[in-house]
Amino acid sequence: GTMSPYQHGEVYVTDDGAETDLDLGHYERITSMVATRDHNWTTGKIYLSVIQKERRGEYLGRTVQVIPHITNEIKNSIRAAAQDVDILLIEIGGTVGDIESLPFLEAIRQFRQDVGRENTLYIHLTLVPYIASAGELKTKPTQHSVRDLRSIGIQPDVLLCRTDRQLDRDMKRKIALFCDVDEGAVITARDVSSIYEVPLNLAGEGLDRILLERLHLPETEAKMDAWEDLVERIQQPMDEVTLHFIGKYTAYEDSYKSINEALHHGGLPHRLKVKLQYVEAEALEEPDGLKLIEDAVGILVGPGFGDRGSRGMMAAAEYARTRKIPYFGICYGFQWAVVEYARSMCGLPDADSTEISEETPHKIIYKLRDLLGVDDMGGTMRLGSYACRLTPDSLAFRLYGEEIIHERHRHRYEFNCLYERTLTENGLRISGRSLDGKFVEIVELPGHPWYLAVQFHPEFKSKPLHPHPLFAGFVEAAYKRKLALAGVSTNVTSIAERRR
Ligand code: GLN
């Protein structure tokens, strides 16, 4: 709970409740791995663990050093993550030459000795920039970084060359010669318009075969049909739809990385390209602020913390509710939707969240754990995956198609069940709650075309090959509104049919 979205981008949450770097999200989206806290290691986490061991006397009072203590700790974390897998991919962030990454590089250098040359493969990601004025690609940055890497004892087996155009045979030969890498192992990693084109491109370059060969694994047939279908859907949409995304950190798109991705995934079953119109929640609080969303066909209010923009989020929820614009609230967007409903529909104009107002007489959103007497910034969030039971016949149930779902959480405050009756008697529907009944996880509005708000973060489980049902449903609803406004008649089945 102490990571700034501006510095780190989105805080990515794993099933087991670790708050990690957003890179882990890409791995979960693109592969079938289920990430855990053991899949992300920061320098701080490594040092903390070593310091704790030292304090417990595990080093018997001997001097603690980067080599071997820090490097051993890194190697142990690699081994811990390698249980029950065929291949372990280890990404070392940063740039060769950074002081921060040195212990990590030394650890993987040693690792090859530990587990055997034939069981390891070093892939080095380098840059091959195109200099427009000279009209040529430059191999120097690649040569330099490979030289730096070799000076610390690592000879890369494969070079992934980031570039904006295909590297020709001569270029690859030149890089191979200077860097002492096989020509076939110089791979063009060309810029692409969608990250989901990357697996196909790398396969086209033969990277998959090289990996199997170098790791002495049997060569099997690559099945890329699903990826080909996906890329075709991305490149050739049937139509597009623009969604309004209300948030607190919209100036920096990476702070909502997983939601952005999930919204794009949500368009794929319908062959729709999703465009996003970001709106700072704070701007909606200005006198003419709501003009910013007047032509919205779908409004999403995203996660957030603190006072700034919270009233704007509430205004967006009200706007969507009263004008019957599809509304999707996620986490903070759930909380403000509920407070807005209490204020406007239940005769509780002072209703609030205790995150903003401790004094409110109607603590609609509060901290259940306050009552338990625990509080410490960074330590008391409800984090990770929890089961949720859906109400039969609800919109949520129809979308998920199952009764028990599991979604990831990251919040400190929650729905106050003392107000459950007031809210439901006035028309709000609770369509999902934790199995013990203590936590309200989903609310929706019968009679509204599509109004759904969730306390959890569904975005973390959406994948391009398996778009999340809530996002797919939201995009579909928004698109239907777009067609309706344009006077095109449509019905649910026409879109659902295209989906098949
Ligand atoms: N600030 C809210 C809470 O802590 C919502 C958090 C979020 O949107 N992730 O409960």
Side-chain angles (χ1 to χ4, degrees):
T2 51
M3 284 162 75
S4 161
Y6 290 120
Q7 286 254 322
H8 303 275
E10 148 188 291
V11 175
Y12 188 76
V13 180
T14 58
D15 266 355
D16 65 348
E19 299 180 272
T20 74
D21 190 270
L22 61 79
D23 286 346
L24 210 51
H26 289 304
Y27 287 115
E28 275 209 292
R29 281 189 283 273
I30 287 203
T31 71
S32 56
M33 80 177 283
V34 178
T36 69
R37 62 181 64 255
D38 288 337
H39 290 106
N40 183 237
W41 290 85
T42 58
T43 299
K45 207 164 128 184
I46 296 284
Y47 271 82
L48 182 64
S49 168
V50 167
I51 290 168
Q52 285 167 341
K53 282 186 181 163
E54 192 277 333
R55 291 290 86 189
R56 285 197 300 267
E58 288 184 30
Y59 303 126
L60 305 172
R62 285 195 289 263
T63 312
V64 176
Q65 293 178 300
V66 172
I67 302 172
H69 300 96
I70 297 296
T71 45
N72 281 350
E73 193 65 29
I74 296 170
K75 290 196 287 181
N76 291 342
S77 65
I78 293 174
R79 286 197 192 87
Q83 306 304 318
D84 306 321
V85 295
D86 296 319
I87 299 177
L88 185 71
L89 174 70
I90 303 152
E91 175 185 336
I92 303 203
T95 305
V96 176
D98 286 355
I99 293 177
E100 284 84 352
S101 54
L102 270 177
F104 288 89
L105 292 171
E106 170 60 12
I108 63 154
R109 186 193 68 76
Q110 295 178 9
F111 207 77
R112 172 166 265 189
Q113 291 293 322
D114 296 356
V115 300
R117 182 162 293 270
E118 68 285 3
N119 294 318
T120 49
L121 178 85
Y122 294 127
I123 301 179
H124 183 42
L125 181 69
T126 71
L127 184 68
V128 182
Y130 179 77
I131 307 297
S133 57
E136 59 176 339
L137 284 163
K138 290 289 184 192
T139 62
K140 272 280 177 275
T142 294
Q143 290 182 43
H144 277 279
S145 77
V146 171
R147 201 178 61 198
D148 276 359
L149 198 58
R150 292 169 76 174
S151 75
I152 53 176
I154 297 176
Q155 166 64 46
D157 299 293
V158 174
L159 293 179
L160 283 187
C161 304
R162 269 308 290 272
T163 161
D164 70 350
R165 63 204 61 211
Q166 197 62 34
L167 301 182
D168 63 19
R169 195 75 203 277
D170 283 348
M171 187 57 79
K172 287 191 175 185
R173 198 173 294 151
K174 186 171 167 191
I175 294 174
L177 180 67
F178 285 123
C179 300
D180 218 359
V181 169
D182 283 352
E183 198 184 309
V186 179
I187 305 289
T188 305
R190 197 165 45 82
D191 293 346
V192 278
S193 51
S194 161
I195 190 175
Y196 303 126
E197 292 172 34
V198 171
L200 290 180
N201 282 6
L202 295 182
E205 285 280 298
L207 179 62
D208 45 4
R209 258 179 289 113
I210 295 172
L211 299 189
L212 291 175
E213 185 191 300
R214 297 293 171 91
L215 293 172
H216 311 284
L217 292 168
E219 196 171 312
T220 51
E221 195 199 335
K223 295 198 190 73
M224 302 303 276
D225 322 10
W227 286 98
E228 278 156 14
D229 174 62
L230 169 71
V231 168
E232 200 251 335
R233 278 168 192 269
I234 294 171
Q235 288 173 346
Q236 285 166 45
M238 170 197 80
D239 199 353
E240 58 182 49
V241 60
T242 301
L243 305 173
H244 283 67
F245 187 149
I246 323 300
K248 292 192 48 164
Y249 323 97
T250 55
Y252 184 39
E253 282 185 30
D254 262 3
S255 47
Y256 296 109
K257 187 71 192 165
S258 294
I259 297 184
N260 297 346
E261 293 299 307
L263 287 168
H264 292 298
H265 303 163
L268 297 172
H270 320 297
R271 289 193 163 270
L272 291 173
K273 180 183 173 72
V274 171
K275 293 187 161 176
L276 300 178
Q277 176 71 52
Y278 294 100
V279 181
E280 267 293 320
E282 226 174 349
L284 297 177
E285 296 165 8
E286 298 299 316
D288 269 341
L290 290 171
K291 277 214 156 60
L292 291 167
I293 52 173
E294 70 185 353
D295 56 0
V297 295
I299 293 176
L300 182 144
V301 174
F305 292 82
D307 195 9
R308 186 177 66 80
S310 58
R311 303 306 176 213
M313 291 185 165
M314 213 168 2
E318 179 178 16
Y319 194 84
R321 181 176 60 76
T322 52
R323 287 171 210 239
K324 300 219 181 292
I325 301 168
Y327 177 82
F328 192 9
I330 297 182
C331 210
Y332 224 17
F334 161 94
Q335 297 179 351
W336 291 114
V338 174
V339 173
E340 188 279 312
Y341 202 80
R343 286 189 176 196
S344 308
M345 301 301 289
C346 309
L348 303 171
D350 304 324
D352 220 325
S353 159
T354 56
E355 181 167 354
I356 305 308
S357 159
E358 285 284 354
E359 298 76 40
T360 173
H362 300 294
K363 302 176 167 51
I364 302 292
I365 300 295
Y366 77 146
K367 231 191 287 182
L368 186 56
R369 282 147 300 170
D370 252 0
L371 306 174
L372 309 173
V374 274
D375 196 9
D376 177 15
M377 262 277 258
T380 56
M381 278 211 252
R382 187 162 170 250
L383 281 169
S385 179
Y386 288 90
C388 167
R389 172 172 283 116
L390 305 179
T391 310
D393 293 336
S394 61
L395 172 61
F397 184 85
R398 279 205 304 283
L399 291 167
Y400 276 101
E402 50 196 345
E403 195 187 342
I404 307 287
I405 56 152
H406 295 83
E407 294 285 6
R408 299 182 192 170
H409 294 249
R410 181 172 184 259
H411 59 106
R412 219 172 260 122
Y413 298 83
E414 47 261 331
F415 183 100
N416 182 347
C417 288
L418 288 177
Y419 287 92
E420 178 172 344
R421 266 195 63 191
T422 314
L423 288 158
T424 53
E425 278 174 3
N426 284 291
L428 194 71
R429 175 164 204 195
I430 291 174
S431 56
R433 58 200 317 156
S434 60
L435 299 188
D436 63 8
K438 278 195 199 135
F439 295 95
V440 167
E441 309 279 36
I442 312 179
V443 297
E444 52 189 71
L445 259 190
H448 187 288
W450 208 98
Y451 184 100
L452 188 99
V454 295
Q455 177 60 84
F456 48 78
H457 291 267
E459 68 272 21
F460 295 138
K461 288 181 73 170
S462 186
K463 296 178 181 227
L465 298 181
H466 303 283
H468 193 288
L470 296 188
F471 286 90
F474 176 56
V475 172
E476 176 173 330
Y479 186 59
K480 275 162 66 185
R481 182 168 173 92
K482 172 183 163 172
L483 294 186
L485 290 182
V488 181
S489 74
T490 175
N491 55 51
V492 195
T493 45
S494 69
I495 293 179
E497 265 158 22
R498 275 199 294 270
R499 200 190 311 186
R500 267 173 226 127

